[in-house]
Amino acid sequence: MKFTTVILLVAAHITGGLTAAVSSAAAECGPLGVLEIDLNNLPAGVDPNALRQCAGHPLGRTRDLKKTTYTPLTIEEIEKAQNAKLDARSVIPVLSGRVANACWFGASSGCTDGYCWKSCGNNGEWCWTAANGGSGKWLQCNSANQCGSGEACGKGCKKSKSCGCSC
């Protein structure tokens, strides 16, 4: 009987600790949400000890073009940008200086407000980049030359859609 009581007390203590950790993460992350990753199905090379706590990106899905530096354009990127079908979503924000959340047809990567991003699709999609296969800390920068198009898109942010490859 005493042994069963001890096991139940230990189990309650462990469960309480886990509940406190989860509620602490929820409080810290707020609207960014807590990163939910199945630790049993991590891709090769992902360090479970280097996962970020919050799912969404601190800047959400916005990039202020006035606060952005870009990597140099390749010949292919220049041709793609020149041939891209421009519409109000992709031109007006640039001309007006507003925040641009639309598809991107320029440089393959850049730095906005201290965070790296990259182009990741054929139709102007882009994503914020993160370490540890996309599940670690958001990659930070002072200029575009610290960001690369080979970095991983942020993972685990499907609910908030604030990262990952889309526009």
Side-chain angles (χ1 to χ4, degrees), residues 40 47 53 102 107 109-110 134 147 158 160:
N40 296 317
D47 179 359
Q53 194 161 332
S109 61
C147 305
K158 292 177 182 167
S160 68

Side-chain angles (χ1 to χ4, degrees), residues 49-157:
N49 297 313
L51 298 173
R52 69 179 178 275
Q53 194 161 332
C54 303
H57 193 275
L59 298 180
R61 198 75 195 144
T62 60
R63 294 179 302 172
D64 186 340
L65 298 179
K66 290 181 179 179
K67 297 178 181 177
T68 299
T69 60
Y70 309 96
T71 53
L73 292 173
T74 64
I75 292 171
E76 293 81 20
E77 290 168 340
I78 292 170
E79 289 174 356
K80 186 173 183 176
Q82 289 172 341
N83 294 326
K85 181 179 178 184
L86 299 178
D87 60 18
R89 288 186 348 158
S90 59
V91 173
I92 291 175
V94 175
L95 296 177
S96 66
R98 293 185 198 150
V99 172
N101 301 327
C103 296
W104 175 253
F105 295 98
S108 59
S109 61
C111 176
T112 301
D113 278 339
Y115 291 97
C116 292
W117 55 267
K118 73 172 191 169
S119 294
C120 54
N122 295 325
N123 297 309
E125 298 92 346
W126 64 276
C127 67
W128 297 113
T129 57
N132 200 23
S135 301
K137 292 182 178 183
W138 297 110
L139 295 178
Q140 294 188 291
C141 53
N142 293 315
S143 68
N145 63 3
Q146 296 173 310
C147 305
S149 60
E151 304 294 344
C153 286
K155 304 278 189 270
C157 49

